């Protein structure tokens, strides 16, 4: 009786779920939610989404329905930002959650409770956020740079099984038990495991070609293959096995074992025979053969097959215990043997790594030569290699010490030769003080328009000119190697008017160095920026600009998405993504080659005493209402400290040693 009641309850629940799905599908219109038309461009959709996301973000909006509204906005943008999902919605009124899979397999990818019932996670708004995500995936999480620099090269030694997941994904939760079981089984055999969170690693997910979650793919020899079958243990195991080449292991019998072992002369490498009672070559042996294919040739002997008796008798094989033999120059007797009831990966690796080469191998390539004949550096060789570096260090110290001594004698001789001071007019005295002490960029707070010009301190629109008196450059700080031609730094505001000429159509070989600032930090950052880049203004290939973060935040965030690990990509579920501070960032933009270099601001508190601090402030430079009102408040000093290491970054920029981030095209500056 209780079982019957339970069955009835289950049927009622399923019917209610279906009704909710139908009602939700009817009411859910992503165009209406974002307030855009069906002909809107991707730029309009993105702009509408960001505006609504900021308005309805639960951390900003305390309305009780803000969270549900924010989820609808995010879901609508997810559909309309994907051309395939958008096309499906326009045609059928449905998004088609199984994007990227063959049509005949869409309805058998993930099934719950019954073969004909499919749960669509888009209608279940459970809080599956990152804080509650299963911690077992944490150690397998991949980032773009890690994938490119480590995983792809390692895929030439072993295959990788990678899962694409995300928050708010009911199907991801459903396949988790199967995924855990498969990972535990395959990882001990030597298969690499990876997990990509599409919400935080959108660039990597797009690079892999995964347009929906969950997705599972395989990586081997740098090539990607997608898994399209039902997520069960056997299918995933067969998928990994299908990634491996088919000619890794040769089937050996009494008829061909002599030919196989005699090929050591032609192939110049040892040969391995695997004896086992399994009719099919175990996956562990296939993975081992793939990992050592450059050093060893592998053959498999099925001891239960007729036609292998002579081979088993000759080498005294125990047919009930798996056996591995290494043959080198002598095929009548193995060079090494191991037997174990359960062959483990670690045991096999230790055995094969000690027998990778023949006793007298021919040095047929440079790689083999380096492995067989590694160069051991003696103490004398290491000392000789260090001599140029030591010589350079001592030369720099000698020049620095000599410069200090010469400067000290020069100052003392000037003091002796100078006549006794005479009484001068007050105006002349003030003028001397100004010319002697003003070695830093000058700003006038009384100038409220977009530009400054020196030395008259009058305002001119579109250009910021920071006046600098003649400056003595310390050794190694001459910047571009050319003496600055002007006594000020020309800094142009990057707007929609100057954008094309100053970036998009910038001449080949020229770069625009752009400072990111906001209205509160404009004065202090521009003053420090001019000081740091002044020694580099002698180069005719460098241009200097500033960009208002208050006006063009979206343009900057789009650009930073291409700078891996430079700054976290804002995520709609990140409670801090609306408050990210980019002031003090500096971009070196190469308009012709479409790449940029990124300077991240120096955090305050790490080092003190940077140039341009309050100690450098001269009250004689301010007149009228500005007299006595110092701009060196704690906030101003903190803003200046952000650029304390910019000059070192500029030197690396001119050397060409900075990392470059390429983009397909320059976005429009609205």
């Amino acid at each position: 009786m209780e079982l019957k009641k339970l069955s009835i309850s289950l049927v009622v629940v399923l019917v209610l779920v279906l009704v909710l799905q139908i009602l939700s599908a009817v009411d859910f219109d992503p165009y209406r939610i974002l307030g855009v038309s069906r002909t809107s461009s991707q730029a309009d959709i993105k702009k509408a989404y960001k505006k609504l996301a900021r308005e309805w973000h639960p951390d900003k909006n305390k309305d009780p329905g803000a969270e549900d509204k924010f989820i609808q906005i995010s879901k609508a943008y997810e559909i309309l930002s994907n051309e395939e999902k958008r096309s499906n919605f326009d045609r059928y009124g449905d998004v088609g959650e199984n994007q990227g899979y063959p049509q005949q397999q869409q309805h058998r990818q993930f099934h719950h409770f019954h073969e004909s019932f499919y749960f669509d996670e888009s209608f279940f708004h459970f809080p599956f956020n990152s804080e509650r995500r299963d911690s077992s995936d944490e150690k397998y999480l991949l980032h773009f740079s890690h994938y490119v620099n480590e995983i792809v090269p390692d895929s030439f030694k072993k295959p990788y099984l990678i899962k694409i997941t995300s928050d708010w994904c009911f199907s991801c939760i459903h396949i988790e038990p199967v995924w855990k079981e498969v990972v535990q089984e395959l990882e001990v055999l030597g298969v690499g495991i990876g997990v990509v969170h599409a919400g935080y690693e959108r660039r990597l997910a797009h690079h892999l070609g995964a347009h929906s979650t969950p997705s599972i793919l395989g990586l081997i020899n740098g090539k990607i293959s997608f898994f399209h079958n039902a997520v069960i243990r056997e299918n995933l195991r067969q998928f990994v096995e299908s990634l491996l080449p088919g000619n890794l292991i040769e089937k050996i019998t009494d008829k061909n074992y002599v030919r196989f072992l005699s090929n050591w002369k032609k192939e110049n490498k040892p040969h391995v025979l695997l004896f086992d009672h399994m009719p099919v070559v175990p996956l562990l042996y296939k993975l081992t053969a793939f990992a050592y294919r450059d050093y060893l040739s592998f053959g498999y002997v099925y001891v239960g097959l007729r036609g292998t008796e002579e081979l088993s008798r000759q080498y005294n094989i125990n047919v009930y215990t798996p056996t591995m033999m290494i043959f080198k120059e002598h095929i009548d007797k193995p060079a090494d043997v191991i037997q174990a009831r359960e062959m483990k990966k670690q045991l096999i690796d230790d055995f094969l790594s000690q027998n990778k080469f023949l006793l007298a191998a021919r040095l047929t390539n440079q790689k083999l030569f380096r492995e067989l004949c590694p160069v051991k550096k003696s103490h004398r060789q290491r000392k000789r290699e260090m001599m140029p570096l030591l010589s350079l260090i001592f030369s720099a110290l000698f020049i620095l010490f000599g410069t200090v001594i010469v400067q000290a004698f020069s100052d003392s001789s000037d003091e002796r030769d100078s006549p006794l001071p005479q009484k001068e007019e007050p105006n002349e005295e003030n003028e001397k003080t100004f010319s002697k002490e003003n070695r830093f960029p000058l700003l006038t707070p009384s100038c409220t328009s977009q530009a400054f010009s020196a030395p008259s301190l009058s305002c001119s629109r579109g250009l910021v000119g920071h006046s600098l008196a003649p400056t003595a450059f310390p050794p190694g700080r001459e910047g571009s190697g050319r003496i600055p031609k002007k006594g000020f730094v020309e800094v142009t505001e990057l707007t929609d008017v100057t954008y094309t000429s100053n970036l998009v159509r910038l001449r080949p070989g020229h770069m625009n160095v752009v400072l990111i600032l906001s209205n509160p930090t404009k004065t202090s950052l521009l003053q420090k920026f001019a000081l740091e880049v002044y020694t580099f203004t002698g180069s005719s290939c460098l241009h200097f600009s500033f960009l208002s973060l208050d006006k063009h935040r979206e343009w900057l965030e789009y650009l930073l998405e291409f700078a891996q690990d430079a700054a976290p990509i804002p995520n709609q579920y990140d409670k801090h993504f609306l408050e990210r501070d980019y002031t003090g960032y500096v971009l070196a933009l190469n308009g012709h080659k479409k790449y940029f270099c990124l300077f991240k601001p120096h955090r305050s508190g790490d080092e003190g005493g940077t140039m341009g601090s309050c100690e450098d402030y001269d009250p004689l430079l301010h007149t009228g209402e500005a007299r006595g009102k110092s701009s060196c408040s704690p906030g101003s000093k903190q803003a200046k400290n952000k650029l304390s290491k910019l000059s070192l970054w500029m030197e690396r920029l001119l050397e060409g040693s900075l990392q470059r981030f390429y983009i397909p095209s320059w976005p429009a500056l609205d």
Side-chain angles (χ1 to χ4, degrees), residues 35-288:
V36 296
S37 65
R38 291 183 176 267
T39 59
S40 298
S41 63
Q42 286 294 334
D44 295 337
I45 292 172
K46 185 176 182 180
K47 185 180 296 184
Y49 161 71
K50 288 200 171 185
K51 179 181 178 181
L52 292 173
R54 288 191 174 95
E55 178 183 353
W56 290 97
H57 196 281
D59 292 336
K60 298 292 183 182
N61 194 322
K62 302 305 179 183
D63 190 290
E67 184 174 357
D68 292 336
K69 181 68 174 178
F70 183 75
I71 292 173
Q72 288 186 350
I73 293 169
S74 301
K75 184 62 181 178
Y77 179 69
E78 179 185 350
I79 295 172
L80 298 185
S81 61
N82 186 304
E83 293 294 344
E84 190 173 356
K85 290 184 179 181
R86 183 180 181 181
S87 176
N88 286 344
F89 183 85
D90 292 341
R91 292 181 181 179
Y92 313 113
D94 186 19
V95 297
E97 288 297 321
N98 293 318
Q99 303 292 332
Y101 297 94
Q103 186 69 24
Q104 67 271 17
Q105 296 171 349
Q106 286 187 359
H107 298 288
R108 63 189 185 109
Q109 181 189 2
F110 303 112
H111 291 80
H112 302 236
F113 306 118
H114 194 274
E115 287 296 321
S116 61
F117 189 80
Y118 174 75
F119 276 96
D120 185 354
E121 70 272 9
S122 62
F123 299 100
F124 292 85
H125 304 307
F126 301 126
F128 298 129
N129 54 29
S130 58
E131 296 178 359
R132 303 183 185 180
R133 198 170 59 244
D134 194 345
S135 60
S136 62
D137 284 346
E138 295 295 333
K139 66 177 181 178
Y140 303 114
L141 286 177
L142 302 180
H143 305 284
F144 187 87
S145 58
H146 178 226
Y147 171 81
V148 173
N149 298 326
E150 297 183 25
I151 301 301
V152 172
D154 198 40
S155 68
F156 288 85
K157 299 178 182 178
K158 64 180 180 182
Y160 273 83
L161 190 65
I162 301 175
K163 178 182 69 171
I164 315 296
T165 185
S166 66
D167 296 333
W168 313 87
C169 174
F170 191 84
S171 297
C172 300
I173 303 298
H174 174 66
I175 69 170
E176 196 63 33
V178 180
W179 174 258
K180 283 184 181 179
E181 181 184 1
V182 172
V183 166
Q184 292 176 358
E185 177 184 356
L186 296 182
E187 190 175 21
V188 297
L189 299 180
V191 178
I193 305 298
V195 175
V196 177
H197 194 287
Y200 301 102
E201 288 294 331
R202 287 177 290 174
R203 184 183 182 191
L204 179 54
H206 180 73
H207 177 79
L208 295 174
H211 303 299
S212 64
T213 56
S215 295
I216 296 177
L217 56 90
L219 175 69
I220 189 170
N221 290 332
K223 298 180 180 179
I224 297 172
S225 301
F226 274 88
F227 173 77
H228 295 314
N229 294 325
V231 182
I232 59 176
R233 172 182 169 275
E234 190 58 35
N235 287 351
L236 287 172
R237 185 185 176 94
Q238 291 177 1
F239 173 67
V240 171
E241 201 162 348
S242 67
L243 297 175
L244 298 169
N247 58 348
L248 287 173
I249 300 179
E250 184 177 351
K251 294 291 184 67
I252 304 299
T253 63
D254 294 339
K255 297 180 179 180
N256 62 352
Y257 81 94
V258 175
R259 174 191 57 79
F260 173 76
L261 297 178
S262 300
N263 279 341
W264 69 266
K265 298 179 182 178
K266 179 181 179 181
E267 299 176 2
N268 192 36
K269 53 187 178 182
H271 285 57
V272 182
L273 282 182
L274 312 169
F275 295 84
D276 206 335
H277 57 277
M278 302 292 293
V280 180
V281 181
L283 180 58
L284 174 61
Y285 292 164
K286 292 184 178 180
L287 292 170
T288 302

Side-chain angles (χ1 to χ4, degrees), residues 5-69:
K5 290 182 178 180
L6 182 61
S7 301
I8 295 175
S9 301
L10 181 60
V11 170
V12 171
V13 170
L14 296 179
V15 171
L16 288 175
V17 169
L18 288 174
V19 171
L20 287 174
Q21 286 194 5
I22 295 172
L23 292 177
S24 300
V26 171
D27 296 337
F28 188 80
D29 184 1
Y31 293 102
R32 177 179 55 81
I33 292 173
L34 294 183
V36 296
S37 65
R38 291 183 176 267
T39 59
S40 298
S41 63
Q42 286 294 334
D44 295 337
I45 292 172
K46 185 176 182 180
K47 185 180 296 184
Y49 161 71
K50 288 200 171 185
K51 179 181 178 181
L52 292 173
R54 288 191 174 95
E55 178 183 353
W56 290 97
H57 196 281
D59 292 336
K60 298 292 183 182
N61 194 322
K62 302 305 179 183
D63 190 290
E67 184 174 357
D68 292 336
K69 181 68 174 178

Side-chain angles (χ1 to χ4, degrees), residues 514-518 521 525 529 545-550 552 555-556 581-587 598 643:
V514 181
L515 169 68
I516 308 300
L517 49 76
S518 59
T521 62
L525 282 180
F529 180 71
S545 304
F546 71 91
L547 182 79
S548 174
L549 184 62
D550 305 316
H552 307 295
W555 181 88
L556 177 63
D581 181 20
Y582 297 111
T583 57
Y585 276 53
V586 178
L587 304 175
L598 177 65
L643 301 178

Side-chain angles (χ1 to χ4, degrees), residues 337-404:
V337 180
I338 59 168
Q339 285 185 335
R341 290 192 177 277
E342 292 185 4
M343 286 284 187
K344 300 293 185 180
K345 181 180 183 300
Q346 186 62 46
L347 176 64
I348 296 176
D349 287 342
D350 294 341
F351 175 71
L352 295 180
S353 60
Q354 298 174 6
N355 295 279
K356 293 196 300 183
F357 306 107
L358 296 171
L359 297 177
R362 301 190 306 274
L363 302 180
T364 55
N365 54 64
Q366 188 66 27
K367 179 182 177 182
L368 186 61
F369 176 77
R370 285 196 301 264
E371 293 199 38
L372 288 174
C373 307
V375 178
K376 294 183 179 180
K377 298 180 180 179
S378 63
H379 177 72
R380 184 172 298 177
Q381 286 176 327
R382 289 195 296 270
K383 188 176 179 179
R384 281 200 299 266
E385 291 178 356
M386 291 292 293
M387 285 301 294
L389 179 60
L390 294 175
S391 176
L392 181 62
I393 293 175
F394 281 116
S395 299
L397 291 176
F398 178 78
I399 294 173
L400 181 61
F401 180 74
T403 304
V404 173

